[in-house]
Amino acid sequence: MFIPKSFLEREAAHVEGFAPETAVVTHGGGKQLEEPLIVRPTSETIIYAMFSKWVQSYRDLPLLINQWANVVRWEMRTRLFLRTLEFLWQEGHTAHATHDEAEVEARKMLGVYRDFMEGWMAMPVVTGRKTDSERFAGALRTYSCEAMMQDNKALQAGTTHNLGQNFAKVFDLKFQTESGGMDYAWNTSWGVSTRLIGGLVMTHGDDVGLRVPPLLAPVEVVIVPIYKTDEERAKVLEAADRIVASFGAWERREPGRLRVRVDAREGIKPGAKYFEWELRGVPVRMEIGPRDLDKQQVVLVRRDTREKRPASLNTLAEDVVELLSRIQADMLTAARERREQHSIRDRITYDRFREIMDGEGAFVYGGWCGDAACEAQIKADTKATIRCLPDEEFRSAEAPTTCLRCGRPATAEAVWAKAY
RNA sequence: CGGGGCGUAGCGUAGCCUGGUAUCGCGCCUGCUUUGGGAGCAGGAGGUCCCCGGUUCAAAUCCGGGCGCCCCGACCA
């Protein structure tokens, strides 16, 4: 939670990047502290100070520490979920014997993050490397997952860093090598935060409310019973209980059982229940009424498309499991298609680029000359930044040959967008 | 730190310009009827109109000061 001010100051680029946005504790126990304590904005300094005590030999490497922690960054302006003064995140820190091993780790964690964002959140991302001006303060290289929100702005959803030996050198994180010499360790760090919740909302939310992908939904299926008389009520609820019991035994599915809930509240009409569960984003609603039972069926309604269809009681569990996995897949596909519809890969003039950034926004794939001054000028002109230099699978079939703004030869393809 | 806006019942608001019994919706209470897309009808309760001061016979309304909140910008991996 607290980091001695001198720790933060040890790595020059790190302190320069973070000092303006730190909260500082000057008093403790009623007395002024000899050395102020920084409320951690990130934990590299304190972690590597400890690593240096733990590591002596190459045999102690690699070393990985993961922690869930709250951090504080004194932003001038906050935005719910996306930029808060205090946020909860997961931060991982590693130490390795070689540069290449650290590089592999940084890339691996980027893949882990991507798998979660796409496989679980159904939030597609573009992965790639940050430019020098956008990379983590103190890192050698920063990689990121960039998602597109429904207003066509980019959300940096997670980052991983190859820190090189920058922190090891200032915290004296040394080890004896296999051949008997001494070397500084190679570090990586990586994190994702509660910002992902904002990303989920802004990727999938619609006019009706939240849409939660099945794999993350606390309730995947809500059963809404429909009845008029007490007799009907008893019959319908009994059928609902039987369905829940049969689902409870359903274990052929990954991961685990079906999470089902019966909304048996009385005094609330079915329509009101529909609206409430739609607002909360429950992926599938199952309606059971007397008319359905007569036909040995229920009605299934998808939250993502709001499509409604009957399903036989005989094959219900299989049907629901199949539907849930289809919803999971369709939500990712729909989000990805949406992103691609708002991605521009055609060569466009800088005037056109400015027009787009001034208007509806987009991910614009364009050439970059590699000059930080040019990058800064584009930001000044349009507020758009290079979100990343995309990994190969995201690059255009035909690589751009000239810089989007200055027309000089391109050194890389870049994804430009306004960001949160 | 600049620019703009707003504070009226639990919530959302009208009224303010042009001073005169504070409006409507949701919610709440009681009763009856209701339940396949946000129930209906009838009756009812609920207010320091953000605070302080001024003008006036009379202030939610006009004037002065204060407080609070929101949005935009600067800032931000």
Side-chain angles (χ1 to χ4, degrees):
Chain A
M1 173 89 63
F2 300 125
I3 297 178
K5 189 158 177 275
S6 58
F7 278 38
L8 200 74
E9 286 167 348
R10 235 176 272 188
E11 214 288 325
H14 192 64
V15 65
E16 193 191 333
F18 279 106
E21 48 176 334
T22 53
V24 182
V25 178
T26 56
H27 289 71
K31 282 186 288 194
Q32 179 156 3
L33 300 173
E34 283 183 27
E35 179 181 0
L37 295 170
I38 307 286
V39 181
R40 65 179 166 218
T42 179
S43 308
E44 277 75 10
T45 55
I46 198 114
I47 295 275
Y48 302 136
M50 292 312 294
F51 273 21
S52 71
K53 298 179 201 295
W54 299 343
V55 173
Q56 278 92 44
S57 154
Y58 73 95
R59 293 178 198 276
D60 297 325
L61 299 175
L63 177 60
L64 183 154
I65 289 287
N66 184 76
Q67 69 173 2
W68 284 86
N70 281 51
V71 292
V72 168
R73 297 182 186 183
W74 213 261
E75 306 290 355
M76 278 179 178
R77 204 153 150 212
T78 61
R79 199 178 173 105
L80 192 62
F81 285 121
L82 302 184
R83 188 179 302 114
T84 43
L85 280 194
E86 177 191 5
F87 56 93
L88 176 64
W89 75 349
Q90 159 279 128
E91 54 176 320
H93 299 271
T94 66
H96 305 268
T98 66
H99 165 274
D100 289 357
E101 203 180 301
E103 180 68 14
V104 166
E105 181 71 15
R107 297 284 340 187
K108 176 175 129 190
M109 288 314 300
L110 190 73
V112 169
Y113 288 155
R114 179 185 179 184
D115 287 348
F116 178 74
M117 291 166 193
E118 298 192 334
W120 292 71
M121 297 176 68
M123 180 176 80
V125 294
V126 174
T127 60
R129 185 163 65 81
K130 287 290 191 184
T131 63
D132 289 353
S133 69
E134 297 268 330
R135 72 162 192 256
F136 179 80
L140 207 58
R141 281 186 288 279
T142 289
Y143 302 100
S144 78
C145 295
E146 301 285 333
M148 180 190 279
M149 302 293 101
Q150 292 185 57
D151 58 0
N152 303 334
K153 284 170 78 172
L155 183 72
Q156 180 176 297
T159 48
T160 73
H161 316 290
N162 181 340
L163 302 174
Q165 295 175 306
N166 293 344
F167 286 88
K169 283 178 178 164
V170 294
F171 286 96
D172 204 33
L173 171 48
K174 283 187 295 201
F175 67 98
Q176 191 158 15
T177 63
E178 203 167 349
S179 58
M182 293 298 288
D183 196 5
Y184 291 108
W186 299 78
N187 295 115
T188 76
S189 67
W190 20 275
V192 295
S193 76
T194 39
R195 171 179 264 199
L196 288 181
I197 296 169
L200 184 84
V201 172
M202 295 175 74
T203 298
H204 298 304
D206 65 13
D207 289 347
V208 179
L210 190 60
R211 296 192 302 169
V212 184
L215 288 176
L216 292 182
V219 176
E220 293 165 285
V221 181
V222 64
I223 300 179
V224 178
I226 297 158
Y227 50 80
K228 283 192 174 74
T229 63
D230 282 352
E231 191 190 342
E232 284 176 348
R233 175 169 179 274
K235 251 171 72 181
V236 164
L237 286 181
E238 197 263 316
D241 286 345
R242 223 167 33 226
I243 289 167
V244 172
S246 75
F247 281 13
W250 185 267
E251 297 195 38
R252 277 186 284 152
R253 167 175 176 269
E254 284 300 324
R257 301 179 173 203
L258 283 166
R259 296 182 292 276
V260 189
R261 172 155 167 184
V262 180
D263 186 353
R265 288 175 298 172
E266 293 196 59
I268 302 175
K269 294 176 76 168
K273 293 179 181 176
Y274 300 166
F275 279 102
E276 183 177 326
W277 293 111
E278 283 171 350
L279 182 68
R280 295 190 188 198
V282 173
V284 171
R285 178 174 76 244
M286 184 186 301
E287 305 174 1
I288 311 177
R291 295 209 295 267
D292 297 310
L293 291 184
D294 288 346
K295 288 186 271 185
Q296 287 293 298
Q297 66 166 44
V298 299
V299 172
L300 296 179
V301 187
R302 299 171 60 144
R303 173 62 182 88
D304 62 333
T305 60
R306 305 189 87 197
E307 177 199 337
K308 204 169 196 175
R309 67 168 171 88
S312 165
L313 282 174
N314 299 322
T315 53
L316 192 54
E318 289 86 341
D319 218 342
V320 166
V321 166
E322 201 276 328
L323 180 60
L324 286 168
S325 69
R326 194 174 336 144
I327 290 172
Q328 183 76 37
D330 287 355
M331 286 179 76
L332 176 62
T333 303
R336 188 175 277 137
E337 281 172 0
R338 185 183 180 287
R339 181 189 71 192
E340 292 309 307
Q341 275 164 16
H342 296 276
S343 294
I344 295 174
R345 290 174 183 275
D346 305 331
R347 294 305 135 74
I348 54 173
T349 64
Y350 190 53
D351 280 346
R352 176 70 189 131
F353 176 78
R354 295 180 68 152
E355 215 172 87
I356 290 163
M357 289 305 159
D358 197 39
E360 64 171 5
F363 277 14
V364 174
Y365 290 74
W368 178 45
C369 59
D371 185 346
C374 195
E375 183 188 12
Q377 188 58 50
I378 291 175
K379 185 177 179 182
D381 290 346
T382 66
K383 289 181 194 157
T385 51
I386 295 179
R387 300 321 304 153
C388 68
L389 307 176
D391 289 335
E392 187 159 6
E393 69 167 285
F394 299 101
R395 286 179 213 151
S396 305
E398 223 176 296
T401 53
T402 56
C403 178
L404 178 72
R405 187 187 80 92
C406 67
R408 286 181 286 176
T411 58
E413 180 169 13
V415 179
W416 304 83
K418 288 210 261 191
Y420 277 103

